[in-house]
Amino acid sequence: MKKTIVIFALLLGVLNFLWHPSQAMAFSNVIWPGPIPAKPIEIDVENGSLTQINYFISSTGATSGIRYRTTFYYITLRDTDGNPIATFQFKPSLTAPPPGETIIDMYTVTAQDLLDAGFSESSLLISNFASISLSATIEIYNANTGDVLETFGDKSSTPTTIYPVIDQKAGSIGFGSTDIQDMKTRYASLDQFIPPPEPPPPPPPPNIDEDISGHWTWYEYSGNYYERTWMTVTIPEPEVVKAGQGTSVIVTTYYENNNPSAWNGSRYSTGIRGVNIDGPLTDDWKAYKSFNTQATDDMVLVDTEVAYENYYEQTYQKTFVFVSPDGNVSTWTEYFYVGYNVPVVKQTWIIPYARFDSNGWTRHQTPPTDIDNRYVFGGLNRWYFGFDIPDNQQFDLKFSSHGGVTGRLGNVITQQITIMGSPYDDLVVRTVDPRNPFPGGVSPEWQGFEAFITDLTDWYYESEIRYQRKLEQWRNQKPLQLLSNFFYKIFFSNS
């Protein structure tokens, strides 16, 4: 893990109001170890009143004699109509960064700083202002001669008005994209209205499971890294199943681990090793009623992706006190900051592929390749139920995930299936002659399967053929022989 150490510095500045006398103003400046946040101005609010303003700018150390400096910064509060309430103007004294090195400064102005400088308490109420703007006055100068080459920006500058000026003036003098971007960080839109408080995040899934995945330490501070997982299961389709048919379910698992060492150099760690399905075996209904026959199978993993990323960060500070031999006391503060994106890995699982043959129903991780629609059937991701199940019987399908660094993570969700009806309800019974089963032509669904019926001709007509043979034999015998055979069967066939 990369550790960044920054030094806290307390600075003094000058506050000048447009409508109030100039007064001394206290504020603080910290070298920020992370990137500039998406919102360059951040505020803290308590009990409906502004308590703190943070804003961020970037600066890069000069590598030539033509340089720029910020002579003034302006923070302006504006009311709901866009009119300025008050402007905080200050000029910090900063140590320039080393040549070519970029630093991020976070400036902090507290409500007490503003009150001490002449702001009224009512002006800090959120209900009395609608936006906060940041602007600056910048000079481009020759460090060797002291000549000022260009000056631009004031308390009224906005990104819309000042960005083209920066691009034209700084660009024509020879400043590169890094310096130009640094200059632009000194401005935030006057129309950047403060949004209402964000709604609380949605509650986590009820089946979330969490475990410790590692540890970290920094001086006397220490803590844990965590991994967690949760799972969703779709409503069975269908939820009410006919006897002899099946149902489909999709399971989705989610996993995240904020311990970078657990990623093993990859972009993400899947974490979840497998999902099982437990369900009833009801092909033999009598056996199920007697022994409650069940089966457990592995679900089939069909997709793995990063659904989104959560940003993980920690900041800690430690203040050191040093007393010199002559009794002078000095203090400094070190900051520990770490921040990175933690991927949330989403995996999709389906019920195993079904195969039906003379041995019954079996389940497989890959689709059957020997389906011939005559002796082998299947291929769908379904959990099937027997033909002999009566109506209103209910069964549970249980889905359980397992995995994680420790192997102890997992979730369990159960879905219920109800049996109602039978495929036989949809059958239309029609008597046909196997010698000519399709007098009107073979329908599309029977094409190629005509032999299923025509092969039954001999069996279907067997009794009629046997009768015709006996009748013909009777007719060909003489009357005396017929009588002899009749009395023989009566008196001697059972002796």
Side-chain angles (χ1 to χ4, degrees), residues 229 231 251-253 270-277 297-301 347-350 365 399-404 407 409-412:
T229 183
M231 181 171 71
V251 174
T252 304
T253 58
T270 56
I272 297 304
R273 302 170 189 173
V275 177
N276 297 125
I277 176 173
D297 288 285
D298 294 330
M299 299 281 284
V300 179
L301 176 62
Q347 294 172 281
T348 304
W349 311 76
I350 58 177
Q365 291 292 299
F399 304 90
S400 54
S401 63
H402 52 89
L409 283 183
N411 305 112
V412 176

Side-chain angles (χ1 to χ4, degrees), residues 194-217:
I194 298 172
E198 295 184 1
N207 61 344
I208 195 168
D209 192 22
E210 188 175 70
D211 201 359
I212 295 174
S213 62
H215 304 274
W216 62 267
T217 58

Side-chain angles (χ1 to χ4, degrees), residues 453-464:
I453 298 179
T454 57
D455 287 351
L456 299 175
T457 300
D458 292 342
W459 170 82
Y460 184 78
Y461 288 104
E462 182 180 9
S463 58
E464 182 179 344

